[in-house]
Every structure is written in structure tokens, then in C-alpha cells.
Amino acid sequence: MKELLISLEHNGGIPLYEQIYQYIKTEIADGKIIAGEKLPSSRALSRQLSVSRSTVDLAYEQLESEGYLESRPCIGHFACDIEGFVQVEPNKGKTSQAPKRRREGYSIDFAVNGIDPGGFPQNIWRKISRQVLSDEDAGMFQLGDSQGEWKLREAIASYLHHARGVEAVAEQIVVGAGNDYLLMLLSMLLGKSSKIAMENPSYDNAWRCFRSLGHEVVSIPLDEAGMKPSELEESGARIAYVMPSHQFPMGMVMPLKRRLQLLAWAKRQSGRYLIEDDYDSEFRYIGKPIPALQGYDQHETVIYIGTFSKAIAPSIRISYMVLPATLLQQYRELGSNFSVTISKVDQKIIEIFLREGYFERHLNRMRALYKGKHDLILKNLKDMTSICQVFGENAGVHLLLKLKNGMTEEEACRLAKEAGIKVYPLLAYFPDCRQAGDGEGILLGYATLKEDEIQRGMNILKEVWS
Amino acid sequence: MKELLISLEHNGGIPLYEQIYQYIKTEIADGKIIAGEKLPSSRALSRQLSVSRSTVDLAYEQLESEGYLESRPCIGHFACDIEGFVQVEPNKGKTSQAPKRRREGYSIDFAVNGIDPGGFPQNIWRKISRQVLSDEDAGMFQLGDSQGEWKLREAIASYLHHARGVEAVAEQIVVGAGNDYLLMLLSMLLGKSSKIAMENPSYDNAWRCFRSLGHEVVSIPLDEAGMKPSELEESGARIAYVMPSHQFPMGMVMPLKRRLQLLAWAKRQSGRYLIEDDYDSEFRYIGKPIPALQGYDQHETVIYIGTFSKAIAPSIRISYMVLPATLLQQYRELGSNFSVTISKVDQKIIEIFLREGYFERHLNRMRALYKGKHDLILKNLKDMTSICQVFGENAGVHLLLKLKNGMTEEEACRLAKEAGIKVYPLLAYFPDCRQAGDGEGILLGYATLKEDEIQRGMNILKEVWS
């Protein structure tokens, strides 16, 4: 046991116990105090340094809990063997730089997702959020139900019933932070051995999610009514992912007959399910919205998925799914182990937003806004009938143009790009190779653009595609 | 083609087009208009009903999009075959009732999770939230980076470096809605074939999550320093899940030597990883917090997971993980397909909370609050040395009592229950059978209790366990 030559700075900013701790730690790290060596007792060291004994105790305790010292009862403190000891050095020279935003030089972007820049109901959201946060209910900050709060689920069930013809009670509803998360959860409930059939073309993201989760995914061609039932039957898939209200990217509405054929497919063999992604069903500009496929299901085969991200804002991560009774059991066994992914504050905000009619009014406002943009594009397309034919109108926030002027998608996109306009080739949404008959298509999204931008954009497209 | 005997109510609340739509739909559903039957032209029907032609067009379009009618260009509209047609009936007699809260008749609950009821920084949270929501930045409502916003990740990296000795840059950080979600994501990156070693006893929830995700999970016994390296080596596991800062439920701090042994284990074979769950490292009541295991790692083998749910509120679903470079590539290929699970508003709030020093002040306040409760229990335990021995003190928000009075956990819990006190048996946290030497243990959590409740609770426990 050797004496420790610590010189304490009494007027420095560093607490005394920390100076002692630091000194001994460095001595051990540098091999100056070797493993097994006994340290002075805290009584002795405190006397030597003229500090209180508790100061030394504190340093010893810290060293002990970090593994530099071990204490043998009634004997004293001994230095430990710290084989391969590594000092924590600040950031090991790691540097970090924010990723540079690529500026692609487009002046107008017909993006197929996103919302109107002024579309977020900021004032109401702020008002409700203030109301929720001033609620003195302490339960608001405790962990909640893994399926989501009961009252929110009731509000969603009621909304879905009235607006979408969905038959659901709160027990069947699971809320989650976005569709991708719900697909993750669902993937667990369905099991990896489930082969999933997707429309071709389809949402590239759902496709990628299922692939990333290890599912076998098969693509089923579409006809003008949607996914072909005969090919679905032949595929051997157990799950089919469809968008009956407004197929993405093709934009068609699945007629009742095809819906019933798909339901018949699901019923034919036990364990088959239809995932109904009702992603932008809120936006329909003519007539009443079409009831969801789920509402026609009599055999618990439809998993209904919807989201507030499209209708309110993409950065609001709130989605929901309606599980059929058969999967609810699975959820309780496997899924309910995972804590809910939406904060209680956000759950409460959206509950009030639904319950007090704000959502309905918001949708009406957005519908009118988007209809104006939709109609403006259609009006412009009337002068372009020799260039392209329009599909998927009267719903959603994008249109599909099929080129008739002999141009390829690539050419059309390139010409648009050279004029500063971003449009989207249909090709990107074919996870599998496309069929000969699919033609060359361009997607125009209009949610994020102002009407004057749309007008300017359409003028330019007319010119460069002529 | 037969005439349609529609009688319109011009003064009813139902729009004319909807009355026409409803009439034809019902006729088709009832088989009064049969498949293939031609309907009157919209011109003829509008004349017959004395309504504008666009009213009839609207009804026909709705019927067409729902699949009741099909239109053959230049010929007219025909009724469709709607085999097996099902009317959407309101809620099919489904009823729903909020699940009843079980009231268990405890007057004092030493819960091991949760926060102090007044602990949520409500005023500051509200203030920042108002500030964030009044930000006119439209980007606030667009979908963000799947890893989380760059600035938030920078703030987390900086906090982790200073407070926890974690060596990370923003690129390595992935934020997600709670630890369970991050474990889900991580499970995907690691692959299902990875056998995972967990401490026994351990967090029951992490255990259940990994099992639900289909992993093989093995349990490794603990000695007084934590997970035993030799048994870990023998287990054949590729991943080890540990809580070096304050093991749950045993409460021990892993000494440096053991940390280095685990790092050596991970380095020994490529593809091995340590998951460091640093769940309540913020709360340490003596000396400085112990640097994270991750800070000692020189070989990119540690996955560090932390959360704001413990330190701020369980209902705030914000966690983060630091991925080693080797997994970052995997994340970019697989994980980045999944959209971020935290709203941008919440990300911004927590970023400001960190950046402007609120978190540090909040932690100091909570630390003082919890230390008071911790010390109060310890003071009471001084009179109970013949009943039990205390473990895991000076950190976290729970203590472990090992019974010395010959009682079993079951008895001790039952006696407490009869007196209205809820305490937690250690048994619940052994996913695998416990070893003979583990003894009988009781967990006392104190985060959610007030000091007078703790005092009353301890008085009663003293009495019933004597």
C-alpha cells in the first residue's frame, strides 16, 4: 500500500470527491496502482488530505461501482484487474455533418404524397393541444393501453361506421404510429409463412415493408376492376393487399362485383385475409364515398387499415386498423406485448378532433380545396386529349395520365424535368415487371401545389409534350 | 327497359341525386331490376322526373363506381350482376363496452414503473408545444426522415455524450415510439436466426417482445456482477441483452471488469452484439453516473438503447437507439423503409427540451425528488434488518429486498396485500426457472408514491412482516 500523492484544488470548480476519484482512476488506468494493491482506508486518506471522510467514501463508492476498486468487508479497498481497459475519449474523432438536401432544380413538383401547405388545421390543433395539456389528469402521463385509449378507439369506430360503412367496435381497433408500423405488427400476427399478394402496380412502400419483414410477396396483375381473382386464386397467396376505394397508382374504384369476388376468395379457405388499405378514401369529389370492402364482409376476413396522416398531415403519425375477431385473439397473445406507439396527448387530441366534429369540417374544407385543384388539372387536360388520357379522376389527390402521343414515360419525364417540372413515371410502382398492355403512364399529384403553380405547370407540360 | 317509378321528395332533407341513387340501388339489390337490364338514359330520366340531367348523371356515376351499374359507351347504362350482394347494415348487432377497470383494493402500490404524479414538466412542455405549433414552417407537417429529424438526433448524440459517455454521431441514431418498437426494428436488422441471451431475472417485457418476434431466447444466470460471461459463451447466443447501469430487477451496477469481459465476448466472433438497455441510468443518487458500456466499445459491437419515457413520462413515446456502423448499413437497407413513428411536433418539442437545458433541469429536480423517497425507504429499512436485506440502492426508482425472516415471496406479498399494500415478487421477472441460490425477493418501486404514502406503507410492511 502506497501513499496517494493527491494534490487537491480547494478553489477549483471540480468537487473534491471527484478530484480524488479522478486521481485514483488515472493511477489504476496507467498501471501506477496495480491490480490487487490495497488502498489507504478512507479514514487514513481523509486525514492525509484534510477532507471529510464522506468525501473519500463517495470517491471510493464511485470507483467501486465503476469497477476500479473492490471492497473486501473489514479489510479494505483493493485495485481491480481492468484487462483491456479503455478510457472514454470524447467522440473518438467522429465527426458528423447534416446530410445535404439535394436541390434538384424543379420549380414545380407534382408530388403524389404530402398535403396542402396551408392544409394543416394548425389553430384548432393548437387549441385542442393546449386544452389537453392543461388537463390536470395525472393519468395522462402514465402508460396507456397497448391497443390505444378506449375513448379514441370508440371515436374511430364511430367515424368509420358513419363515413366508411366499416363495421367495427372499439375492441377490434388497434392504433399505431403510421401504417408501416401497423404492417409490422400485422406481419407478426399473420406469421412469416404467409404469402402476400399485392396489386401490380401498387404502393411501393407497402411492398418494401412486407419484403423487409421477410414475407414472400407475389404480384397480381390488375384489370380495369382491380386485382384479378382468378390469378389471386392461382398464386397460392393467403393474404391479399388491396386498395378498393382508390387504387394507388392506377386510381380505379373497385366495383362491388369485384369486391364480392375477393370476399368469396377469402371465404373459400380458412386463414385467408384481405388487407384493405383505405388510404385516401376521404377525398372523393363526386357523389358519396364508396363504402369500405370491410362493411360487406360477413366472415371476418377483412383487415381494414386507415390513417390520419393523409387527411391531416403526414407528420401526424396516427393510423388504425380494424382486426377481424379471428386475429384479435392473435393480437392479444402476441401484439399486446408491445406498448402503444402514440403518446396519450396525441391520442387525446385526435379523439377530441373526431368527437367534436373538427375532423368532418376539416375534411370538407380539404375536399373543396383539393377538388378545385383536381378540376383545374382536368380542365387543362381537355386541351391535351391527343397527348394523354386521364384515369383515376374524382377521388384522391393524384391522377394518372396514359400517354397517347407515342412518348415513353422516360421521355415525358425528361422533357418535363428540362422545363423544371417534376412528374412521376408509373414504372416506379411496378414491383414486378409490367405487362405489355399497361402502357406508358405519368402520375400527377396535386395536394402540395397551389392553383397558380398547377396552372403554370400544366401550361408547360402542354407545351413540352406536344 | 322499364320505367322507374321514383317519387322524389323535393322538400326532404335528402339530395335529389341521392334519392335516385337509393331507389335504383334498392331495386337492383331486391332483384326488381335484374342483371343486364338497361336503364333509361339520363336525358330520358331527367325529363321524366323533372330534374336537371346532371342530377341523374351524379346518381348514375355513384351507382357505377359502386358497381351497381355499368356504362357501355354510346349504348347506355346496364344493371350489374351483384352475386351475393350484402347490404351494409349498421353494426350487425355488435355492441361494445369499455373494459372494466379492476379495482384491486390496494391503498398503496409500490409500482416498479411509472413516474411521480407531479413529475411531468407540464408547464414547460405546454410552453414548448405552443411555440412549436405556432411555428409557421410548413415543413413541420410533411413527413420527415425515417431515422428521426437530424437536429433531434444531434441533440440526443450530444446529451448521450455528455451525460452517459456514449460515443455517437447523429448518423447512428434512430428514434422510435418506445423501446418495444425499437426492439421490433432491431429484431428485423439482426434477423430471426439470432439467438438472444437475456439476464435471468430480467425485464419481462423485453423477454416477451423477443419471443413474440420469433427469436430463440436463452436465459443466463447472474452473479453479483451481472451476466456470467462463461455461461454466455456456452449458450451459443449471438446477441446479449444487458442493463449494465442498473440491472432490472436486481439493481446491481455492472463493474468495469465485467463490462470489459462482455465486450471481449462480443469481439471474439464477428456478428456478435451487446444490446445495452440504459433504461433508468438518469437516476443515480451518489456520485457521478457510470459511463455507458457503449463508451468502452472499440469494435462496433454495442447497440445502445435509451428512452425518455422513464425520465419524462411513460405516455411520451420517445426512445432512441445508437447503432454501430455494421448495423447502420442493415438499417439503411431494411429499416429505413419504415416511416418514422414519432410526430414531428413531438420530435421538435423534445429537441428544444434537450437543447435549451430543460431536460437537465428536469432531471435534477426528479433526482432530488426520487432521492428523497429512496432515502426514506432506506431509513425505514434500517429497522428491518432482521426481516430483509436491501439491494440495488442508490440508483433507479426501485429497490430489491431479499427476505431473511424465512418468509416466501408469496407469503410476504399476501400479508402485504391483506393490509392493502401492493409489493412485487421477484419471481415474476424470472422468465426461466430461478436458481436455488436466488433467494426470496420483493421489489419496492417508489416513483409514483408520495413520501407520506411511502412512510405509511413502510410502517405497515414492518408490522406485517415482523
Side-chain angles (χ1 to χ4, degrees):
Chain A
M1 185 172 79
K2 66 175 171 201
E3 212 184 331
L4 300 178
L5 306 168
I6 310 178
S7 53
L8 295 176
E9 288 199 27
H10 284 268
N11 301 320
I14 304 161
L16 295 175
Y17 91 89
E18 198 171 327
Q19 296 182 45
I20 300 170
Y21 154 84
Q22 202 58 58
Y23 177 86
I24 297 175
K25 183 173 149 179
T26 311
E27 292 286 287
I28 295 175
D30 295 350
K32 290 177 188 158
I33 302 177
I34 59 167
E37 197 165 343
K38 187 170 183 294
L39 275 88
S41 72
S42 62
R43 184 186 301 267
L45 188 56
S46 66
R47 227 172 3 220
Q48 178 201 326
L49 299 173
S50 307
V51 298
S52 81
R53 195 170 152 193
S54 67
T55 300
V56 177
D57 280 340
L58 200 54
Y60 277 16
E61 268 170 47
Q62 181 74 23
L63 288 161
E64 207 184 320
S65 67
E66 289 189 25
Y68 290 91
L69 294 185
E70 69 178 317
S71 122
R72 300 185 198 148
C74 312
I75 310 183
H77 285 87
F78 296 82
C80 290
D81 173 16
I82 47 158
E83 51 161 28
F85 171 79
V86 182
Q87 280 276 14
V88 181
E89 287 159 32
N91 277 338
K92 293 173 186 159
K94 281 186 184 179
T95 55
S96 167
Q97 231 181 351
K100 289 202 181 68
R101 291 259 172 88
R102 272 170 304 166
R103 291 194 51 88
E104 295 175 301
Y106 290 107
S107 67
I108 295 167
D109 181 352
F110 283 93
V112 293
N113 42 40
I115 56 160
D116 184 273
F120 183 77
Q122 202 154 342
N123 290 332
I124 288 160
W125 202 263
R126 190 161 48 205
K127 190 189 109 183
I128 304 177
S129 131
R130 196 153 41 202
Q131 175 186 337
V132 169
L133 281 169
S134 46
D135 194 341
E136 296 295 332
D137 177 14
M140 185 55 96
F141 305 108
Q142 306 296 348
L143 186 61
D145 191 319
S146 72
Q147 252 182 285
E149 294 304 292
W150 181 262
K151 282 187 165 181
L152 169 61
R153 289 189 279 139
E154 273 189 332
I156 292 174
S158 161
Y159 163 70
L160 287 180
H161 179 64
H162 292 108
R164 306 292 306 122
V166 167
E167 301 300 327
V169 288
E171 281 96 341
Q172 292 172 273
I173 292 178
V174 179
V175 304
N179 281 23
D180 295 353
Y181 170 71
L182 290 179
L183 292 184
M184 244 169 166
L185 198 59
L186 193 55
S187 154
M188 197 163 55
L189 307 186
L190 296 170
K192 283 238 174 125
S193 53
S194 312
K195 195 195 268 189
I196 298 177
M198 292 196 72
E199 296 162 322
N200 190 30
S202 183
Y203 248 139
D204 48 337
N205 211 40
W207 183 274
R208 275 199 300 267
C209 284
F210 284 126
R211 283 265 164 100
S212 298
L213 291 164
H215 288 278
E216 189 186 342
V217 186
V218 288
S219 67
I220 309 288
L222 300 172
D223 60 20
E224 71 292 342
M227 188 182 267
K228 290 185 189 173
S230 56
E231 307 221 10
L232 172 58
E233 185 67 58
E234 279 161 30
S235 73
R238 201 164 74 75
I239 317 289
Y241 180 96
V242 291
M243 293 170 269
S245 295
H246 189 230
Q247 207 273 345
F248 188 89
M250 302 303 280
M252 81 263 288
V253 176
M254 190 184 285
L256 185 58
K257 186 168 172 181
R258 179 58 54 85
R259 292 176 191 226
L260 297 175
Q261 286 170 330
L262 290 182
L263 287 170
W265 167 84
K267 189 190 156 193
R268 210 166 297 139
Q269 212 168 292
S270 107
R272 284 184 175 174
Y273 290 102
L274 290 160
I275 301 175
E276 177 177 24
D277 182 352
D278 210 27
Y279 71 105
D280 71 358
S281 58
E282 294 87 0
F283 301 121
R284 200 174 143 69
Y285 311 121
I286 282 193
K288 297 199 308 173
I290 293 151
L293 176 59
Q294 198 269 6
Y296 296 99
D297 177 24
Q298 303 257 297
H299 304 279
E300 306 281 339
T301 58
V302 175
I303 300 150
Y304 178 92
I305 298 188
T307 179
F308 294 109
S309 300
K310 292 269 169 194
I312 301 177
S315 71
I316 300 296
R317 311 300 300 149
I318 305 180
S319 294
Y320 45 87
M321 62 181 172
V322 179
L323 292 176
T326 39
L327 279 178
L328 210 51
Q329 192 48 37
Q330 279 291 94
Y331 173 80
R332 287 190 183 126
E333 279 164 31
L334 291 174
S336 63
N337 289 330
F338 296 88
S339 309
V340 69
T341 46
I342 309 173
S343 76
K344 264 198 194 165
V345 170
D346 281 359
Q347 291 191 58
K348 193 74 192 170
I349 293 176
I350 200 97
E351 181 208 318
I352 295 174
F353 200 69
L354 283 170
R355 215 160 23 79
E356 300 189 359
Y358 295 112
F359 188 50
E360 215 183 308
R361 269 168 290 181
H362 169 70
L363 285 183
N364 289 338
R365 191 169 72 86
M366 296 308 284
R367 214 175 276 126
L369 201 68
Y370 289 150
K371 183 176 190 315
K373 299 181 185 187
H374 165 269
D375 292 352
L376 181 60
I377 297 187
L378 285 191
K379 198 183 103 196
N380 275 277
L381 287 172
K382 279 196 182 144
D383 309 335
M384 293 170 76
T385 46
S386 60
I387 299 174
C388 58
Q389 194 186 348
V390 62
F391 289 84
E393 66 269 45
N394 298 327
V397 289
H398 82 277
L399 295 167
L400 171 64
L401 310 183
K402 287 210 178 166
L403 295 168
K404 302 200 306 190
N405 60 353
M407 271 184 194
T408 62
E409 288 172 8
E410 226 187 325
E411 266 178 284
C413 290
R414 185 177 48 77
L415 289 170
K417 185 180 177 178
E418 286 167 8
I421 310 291
K422 187 160 190 176
V423 295
Y424 294 80
L426 185 56
L427 181 68
Y429 302 96
F430 284 90
D432 267 12
C433 53
R434 64 206 284 178
Q435 295 168 295
D438 288 332
E440 300 285 321
I442 296 288
L443 296 177
L444 294 187
Y446 47 83
T448 61
L449 294 175
K450 297 197 189 91
E451 293 209 359
D452 65 316
E453 289 173 318
I454 291 176
Q455 187 55 60
R456 259 191 297 136
M458 293 307 294
N459 288 345
I460 295 170
L461 290 179
K462 237 177 278 183
E463 208 180 292
V464 298
W465 287 348
S466 286
Chain B
M1 183 174 81
K2 66 176 171 201
E3 211 182 332
L4 300 178
L5 304 169
I6 311 178
S7 54
L8 296 175
E9 287 196 30
H10 283 268
N11 299 321
I14 305 159
L16 296 176
Y17 92 88
E18 199 171 327
Q19 297 182 44
I20 301 170
Y21 155 83
Q22 201 59 57
Y23 177 86
I24 297 174
K25 183 173 150 180
T26 311
E27 292 285 287
I28 295 174
D30 294 350
K32 291 178 189 157
I33 301 177
I34 59 168
E37 197 165 342
K38 187 171 186 290
L39 274 87
S41 70
S42 62
R43 183 187 301 267
L45 188 58
S46 67
R47 228 176 356 221
Q48 179 204 322
L49 299 173
S50 307
V51 298
S52 81
R53 194 169 154 193
S54 67
T55 301
V56 178
D57 281 340
L58 201 54
Y60 276 16
E61 269 170 46
Q62 181 74 21
L63 288 162
E64 208 184 318
S65 68
E66 288 190 24
Y68 290 90
L69 294 185
E70 68 177 320
S71 122
R72 298 183 198 150
C74 313
I75 309 185
H77 285 87
F78 296 83
C80 289
D81 174 16
I82 49 158
E83 51 159 29
F85 170 78
V86 181
Q87 280 276 11
V88 182
E89 286 159 33
N91 277 339
K92 294 175 188 159
K94 282 187 185 179
T95 55
S96 167
Q97 231 179 351
K100 288 202 180 66
R101 292 256 172 91
R102 273 170 303 167
R103 290 193 53 86
E104 296 173 301
Y106 290 106
S107 66
I108 294 167
D109 181 353
F110 283 93
V112 293
N113 42 40
I115 57 160
D116 184 271
F120 183 78
Q122 202 154 343
N123 289 333
I124 287 158
W125 202 262
R126 192 161 45 206
K127 189 189 110 181
I128 303 178
S129 131
R130 198 153 39 204
Q131 175 186 336
V132 169
L133 281 169
S134 46
D135 194 340
E136 297 295 331
D137 177 13
M140 185 55 93
F141 304 108
Q142 305 294 348
L143 186 63
D145 192 320
S146 71
Q147 253 182 284
E149 294 303 292
W150 181 264
K151 282 187 165 179
L152 169 61
R153 290 189 278 139
E154 273 189 333
I156 291 173
S158 160
Y159 163 71
L160 288 179
H161 179 64
H162 292 107
R164 306 292 307 119
V166 167
E167 301 301 328
V169 289
E171 281 96 340
Q172 291 174 272
I173 291 179
V174 179
V175 304
N179 281 22
D180 295 352
Y181 169 72
L182 290 178
L183 291 184
M184 244 169 165
L185 198 60
L186 194 54
S187 154
M188 196 163 54
L189 306 186
L190 296 170
K192 283 238 173 127
S193 54
S194 313
K195 195 195 269 189
I196 297 177
M198 292 196 73
E199 296 161 323
N200 189 30
S202 182
Y203 249 139
D204 48 336
N205 210 41
W207 183 274
R208 274 200 300 268
C209 284
F210 284 128
R211 282 264 163 102
S212 298
L213 290 165
H215 289 278
E216 188 185 346
V217 185
V218 288
S219 68
I220 309 290
L222 299 172
D223 60 18
E224 71 293 341
M227 188 182 267
K228 290 185 188 171
S230 56
E231 306 221 10
L232 173 59
E233 184 68 56
E234 279 162 29
S235 72
R238 201 164 75 75
I239 317 290
Y241 180 97
V242 292
M243 292 170 272
S245 295
H246 189 232
Q247 207 272 346
F248 188 90
M250 302 304 281
M252 82 263 288
V253 176
M254 190 183 286
L256 185 59
K257 185 170 172 181
R258 179 60 52 89
R259 294 177 190 225
L260 297 175
Q261 286 170 329
L262 290 182
L263 288 170
W265 166 84
K267 187 189 157 194
R268 210 166 297 138
Q269 212 167 291
S270 108
R272 283 183 176 174
Y273 290 102
L274 290 160
I275 301 175
E276 176 177 26
D277 182 354
D278 211 26
Y279 72 105
D280 71 359
S281 57
E282 295 86 0
F283 301 120
R284 202 175 140 68
Y285 311 121
I286 283 192
K288 296 198 309 174
I290 293 150
L293 176 60
Q294 198 269 6
Y296 296 98
D297 177 25
Q298 302 257 294
H299 303 280
E300 306 281 339
T301 59
V302 175
I303 300 151
Y304 178 91
I305 297 187
T307 179
F308 294 110
S309 300
K310 292 269 168 195
I312 301 177
S315 71
I316 299 296
R317 312 299 302 147
I318 305 180
S319 294
Y320 44 87
M321 61 181 173
V322 179
L323 292 176
T326 39
L327 280 178
L328 210 51
Q329 192 49 39
Q330 279 292 94
Y331 173 80
R332 286 189 183 126
E333 278 164 30
L334 291 173
S336 64
N337 290 329
F338 296 88
S339 309
V340 69
T341 47
I342 309 172
S343 76
K344 264 197 194 165
V345 170
D346 281 359
Q347 291 192 58
K348 193 73 194 174
I349 293 174
I350 200 94
E351 181 208 318
I352 294 174
F353 200 69
L354 284 168
R355 216 161 23 80
E356 299 188 0
Y358 294 112
F359 187 52
E360 215 182 309
R361 270 168 290 180
H362 169 71
L363 285 182
N364 289 338
R365 190 169 72 87
M366 296 308 285
R367 213 176 275 125
L369 201 68
Y370 289 149
K371 185 177 188 316
K373 300 181 185 187
H374 165 270
D375 291 353
L376 181 60
I377 297 188
L378 284 191
K379 199 183 101 200
N380 276 279
L381 287 172
K382 279 194 183 146
D383 308 336
M384 294 170 75
T385 47
S386 61
I387 300 174
C388 58
Q389 193 185 349
V390 61
F391 289 85
E393 66 270 42
N394 298 328
V397 288
H398 81 278
L399 296 166
L400 171 65
L401 309 183
K402 287 209 179 169
L403 296 168
K404 302 199 303 190
N405 60 353
M407 270 184 196
T408 62
E409 287 172 7
E410 225 186 327
E411 267 178 284
C413 290
R414 186 176 48 77
L415 289 169
K417 185 181 177 176
E418 286 167 7
I421 310 290
K422 188 161 190 175
V423 296
Y424 294 80
L426 186 54
L427 181 68
Y429 302 96
F430 284 91
D432 267 12
C433 53
R434 63 206 286 179
Q435 294 168 296
D438 287 332
E440 300 284 322
I442 297 287
L443 297 177
L444 294 186
Y446 46 83
T448 62
L449 294 175
K450 298 196 187 88
E451 293 209 358
D452 65 315
E453 290 173 317
I454 291 176
Q455 187 54 60
R456 259 190 298 136
M458 293 307 294
N459 288 345
I460 295 171
L461 290 179
K462 237 177 277 183
E463 211 181 290
V464 298
W465 288 348
S466 284

